[in-house]
Amino acid sequence: MSHSLPHILIAEREFLIALDAEYLIKAALPCRTTLVRPEQLTQWDTAALADIDLCLLDVPLDATQITPQIERLVEKGVPLLFTTVGDIHRDGVEGFEVIPVVMKPHDAETLVARVKARLRPRPQPPETDQN
């Protein structure tokens, strides 16, 4: 696979929901994906996180459970998009209100639109002069 494709990290507690998100995203745009559980984010070092163009992160009802992971991703410059089932976070996660939230179950159009809007832009390969 080409590394010019965006790399999306899907951090979701429920495997089937992660697969659904991956399917919807990959059906709409060419990208690489990695599926992990949110608690596994602590295992990603700085170099690995530098390759991530977006992290789709599941937020539990008690968002304080993952606040350290959110802070670390923000510190490392990883663009985030939250997903949740809890109406409490519909308008944002306390302390991280600037990060958009997509409700589950995922609406394909909404999810893809928000993913595209949040993706870190990848540099385009230089065009070669054919003359």
Side-chain angles (χ1 to χ4, degrees):
M1 267 193 231
S2 171
H3 286 298
S4 64
L5 293 176
H7 188 181
I8 300 173
L9 182 61
I10 301 174
E12 169 63 55
R13 290 175 294 154
E14 301 291 334
F15 183 67
L16 292 178
I17 294 173
L19 285 176
D20 179 57
E22 179 184 47
Y23 173 79
L24 295 172
I25 293 166
K26 287 185 120 180
L29 63 123
C31 62
R32 298 175 289 141
T33 57
T34 302
L35 280 56
V36 298
R37 294 184 49 79
E39 59 270 15
Q40 293 174 305
L41 290 171
T42 58
Q43 299 169 7
W44 286 64
D45 64 18
T46 301
L49 289 175
D51 183 51
I52 301 299
D53 299 297
L54 176 71
C55 179
L56 188 66
L57 179 58
D58 174 43
V59 178
L61 294 178
D62 179 6
T64 62
Q65 295 175 7
I66 62 163
T67 298
Q69 289 93 327
I70 296 170
E71 290 172 341
R72 182 167 177 264
L73 291 168
V74 168
E75 175 188 307
K76 299 299 182 190
V78 177
L80 290 168
L81 177 59
F82 294 142
T83 64
T84 190
V85 294
D87 281 336
I88 190 170
H89 301 304
R90 179 178 296 277
D91 297 321
V93 174
E94 186 176 340
F96 304 98
E97 291 84 357
V98 297
I99 300 171
V101 177
V102 176
M103 298 301 294
K104 295 185 280 188
H106 299 116
D107 170 74
E109 288 182 25
T110 302
L111 177 64
V112 170
R114 296 266 172 91
V115 165
K116 287 180 179 179
R118 296 292 295 174
L119 268 177
R120 179 191 337 256
R122 285 251 166 185
Q124 297 298 316
E127 292 185 26
T128 56
D129 190 10
Q130 300 294 329
N131 293 333

